[in-house]
Protein backbone atom coordinates (compact mmCIF):
# COMPACT_ATOMS: atom_id res chain seq x y z
CA UNK A 1 0.00 0.00 0.00
CA UNK A 2 1.07 3.59 -0.66
CA UNK A 3 2.18 5.30 2.54
CA UNK A 4 2.48 9.06 2.51
CA UNK A 5 4.22 10.59 5.48
CA UNK A 6 2.82 14.04 6.27
CA UNK A 7 4.27 14.25 9.75
CA UNK A 8 5.96 17.55 10.51
CA UNK A 9 4.06 19.27 7.68
CA UNK A 10 1.60 21.94 8.80
CA UNK A 11 -1.80 22.99 7.46
CA UNK A 12 -2.53 23.65 4.68
CA UNK A 13 0.71 22.37 3.12
CA UNK A 14 -0.05 18.83 4.33
CA UNK A 15 -3.37 18.84 2.48
CA UNK A 16 -1.79 20.16 -0.72
CA UNK A 17 0.94 17.49 -0.49
CA UNK A 18 -1.76 14.85 0.04
CA UNK A 19 -3.56 16.09 -3.08
CA UNK A 20 -0.38 15.97 -5.15
CA UNK A 21 0.41 12.48 -3.89
CA UNK A 22 -3.08 11.29 -4.82
CA UNK A 23 -2.57 12.42 -8.41
CA UNK A 24 -0.16 9.49 -8.80
CA UNK A 25 -2.67 6.94 -7.48
CA UNK A 26 -5.38 5.12 -9.44
CA UNK A 27 -9.05 5.51 -8.52
CA UNK A 28 -10.08 2.74 -6.11
CA UNK A 29 -6.55 2.20 -4.76
CA UNK A 30 -5.93 2.52 -1.04
CA UNK A 31 -3.49 4.97 0.53
CA UNK A 32 -2.26 5.56 4.07
CA UNK A 33 -1.42 9.03 5.31
CA UNK A 34 0.64 9.58 8.43
CA UNK A 35 -0.62 12.66 10.25
CA UNK A 36 0.37 14.57 13.36
CA UNK A 37 -2.07 14.99 16.21
CA UNK A 38 -3.83 18.34 16.55
CA UNK A 39 -4.86 20.48 13.58
CA UNK A 40 -3.59 18.05 10.89
CA UNK A 41 -5.66 15.07 12.06
CA UNK A 42 -8.65 17.38 12.56
CA UNK A 43 -8.52 19.07 9.16
CA UNK A 44 -6.86 16.83 6.56
CA UNK A 45 -9.39 13.93 6.66
CA UNK A 46 -12.36 16.28 6.30
CA UNK A 47 -10.77 18.12 3.38
CA UNK A 48 -9.92 14.87 1.61
CA UNK A 49 -13.48 13.65 2.09
CA UNK A 50 -14.76 16.93 0.60
CA UNK A 51 -12.55 16.25 -2.45
CA UNK A 52 -14.44 13.02 -3.07
CA UNK A 53 -12.16 10.39 -1.55
CA UNK A 54 -13.53 7.61 0.65
CA UNK A 55 -12.21 7.62 4.21
CA UNK A 56 -11.77 4.07 5.49
CA UNK A 57 -10.34 4.42 8.96
CA UNK A 58 -8.10 6.17 11.42
CA UNK A 59 -5.79 4.62 13.96
CA UNK A 60 -3.35 6.01 16.48
CA UNK A 61 0.17 4.61 16.21
CA UNK A 62 3.02 5.73 18.46
CA UNK A 63 1.97 9.36 18.85
CA UNK A 64 0.74 9.97 15.32
CA UNK A 65 -2.28 8.94 13.24
CA UNK A 66 -2.67 6.69 10.23
CA UNK A 67 -5.54 7.65 7.94
CA UNK A 68 -6.58 5.04 5.38
CA UNK A 69 -8.53 6.12 2.33
CA UNK A 70 -9.58 4.93 -1.06
CA UNK A 71 -8.98 7.29 -3.93
CA UNK A 72 -12.20 8.65 -5.43
CA UNK A 73 -12.97 9.32 -9.08
CA UNK A 74 -11.01 12.14 -10.74
CA UNK B 1 -27.92 87.00 -7.72
CA UNK B 2 -24.28 87.07 -8.75
CA UNK B 3 -22.44 84.04 -10.11
CA UNK B 4 -20.23 83.68 -6.98
CA UNK B 5 -22.96 83.10 -4.42
CA UNK B 6 -25.29 80.99 -6.51
CA UNK B 7 -27.34 78.69 -4.30
CA UNK B 8 -26.43 75.00 -4.49
CA UNK B 9 -29.39 72.75 -5.27
CA UNK B 10 -29.38 69.36 -3.56
CA UNK B 11 -32.09 66.74 -3.30
CA UNK B 12 -32.49 66.56 0.47
CA UNK B 13 -34.42 63.29 0.18
CA UNK B 14 -31.12 61.61 -0.63
CA UNK B 15 -29.84 62.60 2.81
CA UNK B 16 -32.81 61.37 4.85
CA UNK B 17 -31.70 57.83 5.52
CA UNK B 18 -28.14 58.91 6.17
CA UNK B 19 -25.05 57.39 4.67
CA UNK B 20 -23.48 60.83 4.20
CA UNK B 21 -20.94 61.61 6.89
CA UNK B 22 -19.25 64.96 7.40
CA UNK B 23 -15.48 64.92 7.04
CA UNK B 24 -12.94 67.31 8.55
CA UNK B 25 -12.34 69.30 5.40
CA UNK B 26 -14.67 72.07 4.24
CA UNK B 27 -17.53 70.79 2.04
CA UNK B 28 -16.22 67.23 2.10
CA UNK B 29 -18.27 64.16 2.99
CA UNK B 30 -17.90 60.40 3.11
CA UNK B 31 -20.59 58.48 1.25
CA UNK B 32 -21.16 55.08 2.83
CA UNK B 33 -22.35 52.45 0.39
CA UNK B 34 -24.75 49.61 0.97
CA UNK B 35 -22.94 46.29 0.62
CA UNK B 36 -24.96 43.66 2.54
CA UNK B 37 -22.86 40.73 3.66
CA UNK B 38 -19.78 42.28 2.07
CA UNK B 39 -20.67 40.75 -1.30
CA UNK B 40 -20.09 42.95 -4.30
CA UNK B 41 -20.68 41.83 -7.89
CA UNK B 42 -17.73 42.90 -10.02
CA UNK B 43 -19.94 45.06 -12.20
CA UNK B 44 -21.03 47.08 -9.18
CA UNK B 45 -17.46 47.32 -7.99
CA UNK B 46 -16.50 48.77 -11.38
CA UNK B 47 -19.28 51.36 -11.13
CA UNK B 48 -18.12 52.31 -7.62
CA UNK B 49 -14.56 52.68 -8.90
CA UNK B 50 -15.78 54.86 -11.75
CA UNK B 51 -17.74 57.17 -9.43
CA UNK B 52 -14.89 57.28 -6.90
CA UNK B 53 -12.44 58.23 -9.61
CA UNK B 54 -14.69 60.96 -10.95
CA UNK B 55 -15.82 62.56 -7.67
CA UNK B 56 -13.29 61.45 -5.05
CA UNK B 57 -9.60 62.09 -4.62
CA UNK B 58 -8.04 58.78 -5.51
CA UNK B 59 -9.06 56.33 -2.76
CA UNK B 60 -11.99 54.57 -1.13
CA UNK B 61 -12.11 53.19 2.39
CA UNK B 62 -13.30 49.70 3.37
CA UNK B 63 -15.22 50.05 6.63
CA UNK B 64 -15.07 47.45 9.40
CA UNK B 65 -18.73 46.61 8.68
CA UNK B 66 -18.01 45.65 5.08
CA UNK B 67 -19.04 48.90 3.43
CA UNK B 68 -17.14 50.61 0.67
CA UNK B 69 -16.95 54.27 1.64
CA UNK B 70 -16.40 56.93 -0.99
CA UNK B 71 -14.23 59.50 0.75
CA UNK B 72 -13.52 63.16 0.04
CA UNK B 73 -16.78 63.75 -1.84
CA UNK B 74 -17.89 67.36 -2.25
CA UNK B 75 -21.46 67.82 -1.00
CA UNK B 76 -22.33 69.62 -4.24
CA UNK B 77 -21.83 66.34 -6.06
CA UNK B 78 -24.26 64.33 -3.89
CA UNK B 79 -27.03 64.16 -6.48
CA UNK B 80 -24.68 63.18 -9.28
CA UNK B 81 -22.98 60.55 -7.11
CA UNK B 82 -26.30 59.01 -6.07
CA UNK B 83 -27.58 59.05 -9.65
CA UNK B 84 -24.47 57.53 -11.19
CA UNK B 85 -24.20 54.84 -8.54
CA UNK B 86 -27.87 54.09 -9.16
CA UNK B 87 -27.12 53.31 -12.80
CA UNK B 88 -25.01 50.43 -11.51
CA UNK B 89 -27.64 49.40 -8.95
CA UNK B 90 -25.47 50.59 -6.08
CA UNK B 91 -27.28 52.28 -3.18
CA UNK B 92 -26.15 54.44 -0.30
CA UNK B 93 -26.23 52.96 3.23
CA UNK B 94 -27.87 54.34 6.38
CA UNK B 95 -26.79 56.07 9.58
CA UNK B 96 -28.50 57.05 12.80
CA UNK B 97 -31.22 55.26 14.76
CA UNK B 98 -32.04 52.69 12.09
CA UNK B 99 -31.49 49.09 11.11
CA UNK B 100 -28.08 49.10 9.44
CA UNK B 101 -26.75 47.06 6.56
CA UNK B 102 -26.29 43.48 7.82
CA UNK B 103 -22.81 41.96 7.83
CA UNK B 104 -22.03 38.33 7.03
CA UNK B 105 -19.15 36.00 6.29
CA UNK B 106 -19.22 33.81 3.17
CA UNK B 107 -21.15 31.14 5.06
CA UNK B 108 -21.75 27.74 3.53
CA UNK B 109 -21.59 28.88 -0.07
CA UNK B 110 -17.88 28.19 -0.53
CA UNK B 111 -16.45 28.12 2.99
CA UNK B 112 -15.62 24.64 4.32
CA UNK B 113 -16.90 25.49 7.79
CA UNK B 114 -20.14 27.20 6.80
CA UNK B 115 -23.37 25.55 7.91
CA UNK B 116 -26.02 28.01 6.74
CA UNK B 117 -26.49 30.44 3.87
CA UNK B 118 -25.44 33.64 5.63
CA UNK B 119 -25.32 35.54 2.37
CA UNK B 120 -28.97 34.77 1.65
CA UNK B 121 -29.92 35.84 5.18
CA UNK B 122 -27.99 39.11 4.90
CA UNK B 123 -29.60 39.91 1.56
CA UNK B 124 -33.07 39.14 2.88
CA UNK B 125 -32.66 41.34 5.96
CA UNK B 126 -31.17 44.10 3.83
CA UNK B 127 -34.10 43.91 1.43
CA UNK B 128 -36.84 43.81 4.06
CA UNK B 129 -35.56 45.72 7.08
CA UNK B 130 -32.70 48.01 6.02
CA UNK B 131 -33.22 51.60 7.14
CA UNK B 132 -36.19 50.87 9.44
CA UNK B 133 -36.16 53.59 12.13
CA UNK B 134 -35.92 52.34 15.72
CA UNK B 135 -36.71 55.65 17.40
CA UNK B 136 -33.90 55.15 19.92
CA UNK B 137 -30.50 54.13 18.61
CA UNK B 138 -28.70 52.21 15.88
CA UNK B 139 -29.54 48.53 15.36
CA UNK B 140 -26.99 46.13 13.90
CA UNK B 141 -27.44 42.61 12.62
CA UNK B 142 -24.70 40.16 11.66
CA UNK B 143 -24.45 36.58 10.42
CA UNK B 144 -21.72 34.01 11.03
CA UNK B 145 -21.79 30.73 9.15
CA UNK B 146 -20.59 28.57 12.02
CA UNK B 147 -19.40 28.71 15.64
CA UNK B 148 -15.91 29.89 14.61
CA UNK B 149 -17.78 33.16 14.34
CA UNK B 150 -15.29 35.20 12.33
CA UNK B 151 -17.83 38.06 11.98
CA UNK B 152 -18.20 38.32 15.80
CA UNK B 153 -21.98 37.92 15.73
CA UNK B 154 -22.51 38.46 19.47
CA UNK B 155 -21.45 42.12 19.36
CA UNK B 156 -24.42 42.92 17.14
CA UNK B 157 -27.81 43.97 18.51
CA UNK B 158 -29.02 40.68 17.03
CA UNK B 159 -26.28 38.23 16.07
CA UNK B 160 -26.80 34.96 14.22
CA UNK B 161 -24.44 31.99 14.19
CA UNK B 162 -24.98 28.92 12.01
CA UNK B 163 -25.48 25.63 13.88
CA UNK B 164 -26.38 21.98 13.40
CA UNK B 165 -27.45 19.48 16.03
CA UNK B 166 -25.75 16.17 15.24
CA UNK B 167 -27.60 12.87 15.53
CA UNK B 168 -25.95 9.45 15.19
CA UNK B 169 -27.42 6.81 12.92
CA UNK B 170 -25.59 4.04 14.69
CA UNK B 171 -26.25 1.43 12.01
CA UNK B 172 -24.06 3.34 9.56
CA UNK B 173 -21.09 3.78 11.93
CA UNK B 174 -17.93 1.80 11.12
CA UNK B 175 -16.22 2.81 14.35
CA UNK B 176 -13.33 4.63 12.69
CA UNK B 177 -13.08 7.27 15.44
CA UNK B 178 -12.60 10.20 13.06
CA UNK B 179 -15.52 12.15 14.53
CA UNK B 180 -14.24 11.91 18.09
CA UNK B 181 -10.79 13.00 16.91
CA UNK B 182 -12.29 15.92 15.00
CA UNK B 183 -14.55 17.25 17.75
CA UNK B 184 -12.84 20.32 19.26
CA UNK B 185 -15.14 20.52 22.22
CA UNK B 186 -14.82 17.10 23.81
CA UNK B 187 -18.45 16.30 23.05
CA UNK B 188 -17.59 12.97 21.38
CA UNK B 189 -15.70 10.14 22.99
CA UNK B 190 -15.20 6.66 21.53
CA UNK B 191 -16.65 4.03 23.87
CA UNK B 192 -15.46 0.48 24.47
CA UNK B 193 -18.18 -0.52 22.01
CA UNK B 194 -16.19 1.27 19.23
CA UNK B 195 -19.02 3.80 18.89
CA UNK B 196 -18.89 7.55 19.50
CA UNK B 197 -20.74 8.73 22.61
CA UNK B 198 -22.31 12.17 22.43
CA UNK B 199 -22.36 14.64 25.32
CA UNK B 200 -24.86 17.36 24.36
CA UNK B 201 -23.73 19.65 27.20
CA UNK B 202 -20.35 20.11 25.51
CA UNK B 203 -21.50 20.38 21.89
CA UNK B 204 -21.24 23.80 20.22
CA UNK B 205 -23.17 22.60 17.11
CA UNK B 206 -20.23 23.15 14.75
CA UNK B 207 -21.02 20.18 12.49
CA UNK B 208 -17.41 19.01 12.16
CA UNK B 209 -18.48 15.45 12.99
CA UNK B 210 -20.96 15.45 10.09
CA UNK B 211 -18.32 16.75 7.74
CA UNK B 212 -15.65 14.19 8.57
CA UNK B 213 -17.71 11.01 8.98
CA UNK B 214 -16.91 8.75 6.00
CA UNK B 215 -20.26 6.94 6.12
CA UNK B 216 -22.60 9.87 6.87
CA UNK B 217 -23.51 8.20 10.15
CA UNK B 218 -23.85 11.67 11.67
CA UNK B 219 -26.88 13.53 10.36
CA UNK B 220 -28.34 16.94 11.18
CA UNK B 221 -31.28 16.59 13.55
CA UNK B 222 -31.74 20.38 13.41
CA UNK B 223 -30.12 23.18 11.47
CA UNK B 224 -30.49 26.95 11.89
CA UNK B 225 -29.12 29.88 13.82
CA UNK B 226 -27.92 30.31 17.38
CA UNK B 227 -29.20 33.81 18.20
CA UNK B 228 -27.61 36.22 20.66
CA UNK B 229 -29.17 39.59 21.47
CA UNK B 230 -27.99 42.83 23.06
CA UNK B 231 -24.40 43.13 21.87
CA UNK B 232 -22.59 46.31 20.88
CA UNK B 233 -19.07 47.72 20.85
CA UNK B 234 -17.96 51.34 21.28
CA UNK B 235 -17.08 53.03 24.57
CA UNK B 236 -18.96 50.57 26.76
CA UNK B 237 -19.13 47.22 25.02
CA UNK B 238 -21.64 44.46 25.66
CA UNK B 239 -21.66 40.88 24.45
CA UNK B 240 -25.11 39.64 23.51
CA UNK B 241 -26.58 36.60 25.25
CA UNK B 242 -28.43 33.51 24.07
CA UNK B 243 -32.11 33.92 23.22
CA UNK B 244 -32.74 31.22 20.60
CA UNK B 245 -31.21 28.04 19.19
CA UNK B 246 -31.70 26.43 15.77
CA UNK B 247 -33.88 29.29 14.58
CA UNK B 248 -34.87 28.23 11.04
CA UNK B 249 -33.30 30.41 8.35
CA UNK B 250 -36.73 31.41 7.03
CA UNK B 251 -37.71 32.92 10.41
CA UNK B 252 -34.82 35.38 10.63
CA UNK B 253 -36.71 38.42 9.40
CA UNK B 254 -39.75 37.76 11.59
CA UNK B 255 -37.47 37.25 14.59
CA UNK B 256 -35.62 40.52 14.10
CA UNK B 257 -38.95 42.32 13.60
CA UNK B 258 -40.21 40.97 16.92
CA UNK B 259 -37.03 42.06 18.75
CA UNK B 260 -37.39 45.47 17.12
CA UNK B 261 -41.04 45.76 18.20
CA UNK B 262 -40.03 45.07 21.82
CA UNK B 263 -37.19 47.59 21.57
CA UNK B 264 -39.37 50.32 20.05
CA UNK B 265 -42.02 49.81 22.75
CA UNK B 266 -39.83 49.46 25.84
CA UNK B 267 -37.36 52.14 24.83
CA UNK B 268 -39.97 54.85 24.37
CA UNK B 269 -39.38 57.79 26.70
CA UNK B 270 -35.93 56.58 27.73
CA UNK B 271 -33.78 58.65 25.41
CA UNK B 272 -31.01 57.34 23.23
CA UNK B 273 -30.83 53.83 24.65
CA UNK B 274 -29.25 50.89 22.87
CA UNK B 275 -31.02 47.51 22.86
CA UNK B 276 -28.48 45.77 25.13
CA UNK B 277 -28.68 48.46 27.80
CA UNK B 278 -32.47 48.32 27.66
CA UNK B 279 -32.39 44.55 28.21
CA UNK B 280 -30.15 45.11 31.26
CA UNK B 281 -32.66 47.65 32.61
CA UNK B 282 -35.76 45.57 31.90
CA UNK B 283 -34.28 42.18 32.63
CA UNK B 284 -34.00 39.60 29.83
CA UNK B 285 -37.23 37.75 30.79
CA UNK B 286 -39.49 40.40 29.27
CA UNK B 287 -37.95 40.05 25.80
CA UNK B 288 -37.60 36.28 26.18
CA UNK B 289 -41.30 35.89 27.00
CA UNK B 290 -42.34 38.04 24.05
CA UNK B 291 -40.18 36.06 21.62
CA UNK B 292 -41.37 32.76 23.06
CA UNK B 293 -44.98 33.40 22.05
CA UNK B 294 -43.93 33.63 18.38
CA UNK B 295 -40.97 31.26 18.28
CA UNK B 296 -41.76 28.57 20.88
CA UNK B 297 -39.63 25.96 19.12
CA UNK B 298 -36.44 28.02 19.17
CA UNK B 299 -36.48 30.35 22.18
CA UNK B 300 -34.42 29.12 25.13
CA UNK B 301 -35.94 28.45 28.57
CA UNK B 302 -33.86 31.04 30.38
CA UNK B 303 -31.03 33.44 29.66
CA UNK B 304 -28.86 36.11 31.24
CA UNK B 305 -28.58 39.84 30.57
CA UNK B 306 -26.02 41.05 27.99
CA UNK B 307 -22.54 40.73 29.44
CA UNK B 308 -20.65 43.88 30.31
CA UNK B 309 -17.05 44.05 29.08
CA UNK B 310 -14.79 45.86 31.47
CA UNK B 311 -12.65 48.14 29.31
CA UNK B 312 -10.84 49.50 32.42
CA UNK B 313 -11.19 53.05 31.09
CA UNK B 314 -13.94 55.50 31.99
CA UNK B 315 -16.97 54.82 34.15
CA UNK B 316 -19.83 52.98 32.56
CA UNK B 317 -23.11 54.80 33.07
CA UNK B 318 -25.50 52.68 35.06
CA UNK B 319 -28.59 52.40 32.86
CA UNK B 320 -31.67 53.91 34.58
C1 LIG C 1 -10.40 25.81 8.43
C2 LIG C 1 -10.39 26.78 9.29
C3 LIG C 1 -10.83 28.21 9.03
C4 LIG C 1 -11.33 28.79 7.90
C5 LIG C 1 -11.62 28.16 6.57
C6 LIG C 1 -11.55 30.18 8.23
C7 LIG C 1 -12.04 31.11 7.35
C8 LIG C 1 -12.17 32.45 7.64
C9 LIG C 1 -12.67 33.44 6.73
C10 LIG C 1 -13.15 33.17 5.33
C11 LIG C 1 -12.67 34.63 7.38
C12 LIG C 1 -13.14 35.96 6.83
C13 LIG C 1 -14.60 36.08 7.13
C14 LIG C 1 -15.22 37.33 6.55
O1 LIG C 1 -14.86 38.43 7.01
O2 LIG C 1 -16.07 37.23 5.67
C15 LIG C 1 -12.13 34.43 8.69
C16 LIG C 1 -11.97 35.40 9.63
C17 LIG C 1 -11.72 35.13 10.97
N1 LIG C 1 -11.43 33.90 11.52
FE1 LIG C 1 -11.32 32.18 10.52
N2 LIG C 1 -11.20 30.40 9.52
C18 LIG C 1 -10.76 29.23 10.05
C19 LIG C 1 -10.30 29.01 11.31
C20 LIG C 1 -10.37 29.94 12.32
C21 LIG C 1 -9.98 29.69 13.67
C22 LIG C 1 -9.42 28.38 14.18
C23 LIG C 1 -10.21 30.85 14.38
C24 LIG C 1 -10.03 31.19 15.81
C25 LIG C 1 -9.70 30.32 16.76
C26 LIG C 1 -10.73 31.81 13.45
C27 LIG C 1 -11.05 33.10 13.78
C28 LIG C 1 -11.32 34.07 12.87
C29 LIG C 1 -11.53 35.45 13.21
C30 LIG C 1 -11.48 36.06 14.62
C31 LIG C 1 -11.77 36.11 12.02
C32 LIG C 1 -12.03 37.58 11.84
C33 LIG C 1 -10.72 38.22 11.55
C34 LIG C 1 -10.82 39.72 11.52
O3 LIG C 1 -11.26 40.31 12.49
O4 LIG C 1 -10.41 40.29 10.51
N3 LIG C 1 -10.80 31.22 12.21
N4 LIG C 1 -11.84 33.08 8.82
S1 LIG D 1 -17.83 32.00 10.74
FE1 LIG D 1 -17.50 29.91 9.99
S2 LIG D 1 -18.45 29.93 7.97
FE2 LIG D 1 -18.09 32.08 8.52
S3 LIG D 1 -16.05 32.58 7.70
FE3 LIG D 1 -15.75 31.90 9.80
S4 LIG D 1 -15.28 29.73 9.64
FE4 LIG D 1 -16.23 30.33 7.71
S1 LIG E 1 -21.19 19.31 16.30
FE1 LIG E 1 -19.07 19.90 16.71
S2 LIG E 1 -19.01 20.08 18.95
FE2 LIG E 1 -20.85 18.93 18.47
S3 LIG E 1 -20.21 16.79 18.57
FE3 LIG E 1 -20.01 17.40 16.43
S4 LIG E 1 -17.87 18.04 16.23
FE4 LIG E 1 -18.35 18.00 18.43
S1 LIG F 1 -16.72 9.22 11.97
FE1 LIG F 1 -18.64 8.21 11.48
S2 LIG F 1 -18.06 6.09 11.12
FE2 LIG F 1 -16.34 7.04 12.18
S3 LIG F 1 -16.74 6.62 14.36
FE3 LIG F 1 -17.64 8.60 13.91
S4 LIG F 1 -19.78 8.13 13.40
FE4 LIG F 1 -18.65 6.22 13.27
Amino acid sequence: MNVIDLRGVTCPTNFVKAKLALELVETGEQVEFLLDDGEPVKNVPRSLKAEGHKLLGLKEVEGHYVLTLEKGAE
Amino acid sequence: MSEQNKKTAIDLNNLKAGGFIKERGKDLFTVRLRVPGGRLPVERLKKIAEVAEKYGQGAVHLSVRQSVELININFKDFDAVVAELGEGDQRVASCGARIRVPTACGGCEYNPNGLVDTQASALEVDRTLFGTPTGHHKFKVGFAGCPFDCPKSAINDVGFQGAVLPELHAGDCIGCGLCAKTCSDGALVMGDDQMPHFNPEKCTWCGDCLKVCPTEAWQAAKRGYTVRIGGKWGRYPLVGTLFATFLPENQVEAFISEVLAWYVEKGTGRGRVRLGDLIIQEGPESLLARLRTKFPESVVDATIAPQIINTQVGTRRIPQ
Side-chain angles (χ1 to χ4, degrees):
Chain A
M1 172 151 23
N2 285 297
V3 178
I4 294 144
D5 190 351
L6 297 173
R7 287 175 296 175
V9 187
T10 55
C11 303
T13 314
N14 45 17
F15 170 67
V16 176
K17 281 194 141 184
K19 247 182 94 62
L20 294 174
L22 282 167
E23 286 182 357
L24 308 174
V25 175
E26 297 298 320
T27 298
E29 260 185 69
Q30 290 192 8
V31 185
E32 278 184 358
F33 291 100
L34 311 188
L35 295 166
D36 288 321
D37 199 0
E39 289 298 307
V41 72
K42 261 184 64 70
N43 293 328
V44 174
R46 164 154 56 116
S47 303
L48 289 171
K49 182 189 164 194
E51 295 262 311
H53 304 295
K54 189 174 175 196
L55 307 185
L56 298 175
L58 182 78
K59 57 181 191 290
E60 190 172 359
V61 184
E62 293 158 6
H64 67 274
Y65 284 85
V66 181
L67 173 75
T68 314
L69 70 67
E70 183 184 303
K71 181 171 167 156
E74 289 288 347
Chain B
M1 204 186 275
S2 75
E3 190 60 28
Q4 290 94 307
N5 53 15
K6 201 175 70 182
K7 201 167 173 305
T8 308
I10 287 186
D11 184 353
L12 295 175
N13 282 327
N14 281 338
L15 305 182
K16 272 200 184 137
F20 298 88
I21 305 150
K22 180 78 189 78
E23 291 181 3
R24 287 163 174 244
K26 181 168 160 0
D27 291 346
L28 295 183
F29 281 73
T30 291
V31 181
R32 178 180 288 165
L33 303 184
R34 188 169 159 192
V35 187
R39 183 65 51 86
L40 204 46
V42 174
E43 281 307 313
R44 258 170 63 201
L45 187 59
K46 283 184 186 160
K47 178 54 95 178
I48 292 171
E50 192 186 304
V51 174
E53 191 164 44
K54 188 162 165 193
Y55 297 101
Q57 292 173 21
V60 300
H61 178 80
L62 301 181
S63 83
V64 292
R65 278 186 65 87
Q66 303 183 309
S67 166
V68 178
E69 294 177 338
L70 303 180
I71 54 176
N72 309 328
I73 302 294
N74 191 299
F75 82 106
K76 288 179 183 150
D77 294 328
F78 279 180
D79 289 355
V81 165
V82 170
E84 286 182 38
L85 289 169
E87 289 164 15
D89 232 7
Q90 177 59 56
R91 318 266 159 227
V92 176
S94 68
C95 290
R98 294 166 195 285
I99 297 194
R100 301 297 182 81
V101 181
T103 55
C105 67
C108 64
E109 215 182 331
Y110 56 86
N111 192 300
N113 293 325
L115 301 169
V116 289
D117 193 347
T118 52
Q119 288 291 317
S121 296
L123 279 179
E124 189 200 1
V125 169
D126 182 67
R127 194 179 62 245
T128 54
L129 296 172
F130 164 79
T132 310
T134 69
H136 315 312
H137 212 311
K138 64 179 88 166
F139 193 104
K140 297 182 178 178
V141 175
F143 298 91
C146 79
F148 268 127
D149 210 322
C150 310
K152 310 168 191 78
S153 65
I155 61 170
N156 284 269
D157 294 87
V158 189
F160 296 85
Q161 188 184 71
V164 293
L165 180 66
E167 177 183 72
L168 185 68
H169 292 219
D172 294 330
C173 175
I174 55 171
C176 69
L178 272 160
C179 56
K181 198 60 221 171
T182 290
C183 179
S184 301
D185 301 304
L188 296 179
V189 178
M190 292 305 282
D192 294 335
D193 56 357
Q194 295 307 306
M195 298 276 279
H197 290 253
F198 178 54
N199 180 349
E201 296 286 302
K202 291 187 172 175
C203 180
T204 56
W205 313 314
C206 73
D208 283 355
C209 47
L210 277 76
K211 289 181 176 168
V212 78
C213 176
T215 61
E216 317 296 334
W218 285 107
Q219 294 284 324
K222 290 185 189 174
R223 186 183 294 269
Y225 283 113
T226 304
V227 190
R228 295 188 175 83
I229 305 182
K232 67 184 184 105
W233 213 250
R235 282 185 163 84
Y236 301 108
L238 294 174
V239 172
T241 50
L242 187 67
F243 278 76
T245 55
F246 306 107
L247 182 79
E249 291 174 73
N250 63 11
Q251 291 179 17
V252 162
E253 184 212 333
F255 192 91
I256 297 171
S257 298
E258 200 59 22
V259 175
L260 182 67
W262 183 90
Y263 177 43
V264 168
E265 182 191 318
K266 300 288 179 187
T268 300
R270 299 176 113 141
R272 198 165 164 271
V273 63
R274 191 81 183 258
L275 177 61
D277 285 319
L278 191 61
I279 297 173
I280 293 175
Q281 292 167 38
E282 292 282 317
E285 288 73 23
S286 158
L287 176 56
L288 205 56
R290 173 155 190 164
L291 292 169
R292 191 175 292 120
T293 59
K294 284 220 172 152
F295 307 95
E297 304 283 308
S298 310
V299 169
V300 296
D301 292 337
T303 192
I304 53 177
Q307 297 293 289
I308 294 171
I309 301 296
N310 183 354
T311 60
Q312 301 166 278
V313 174
T315 307
R316 193 170 204 284
R317 281 171 301 130
I318 308 294
Q320 301 303 311

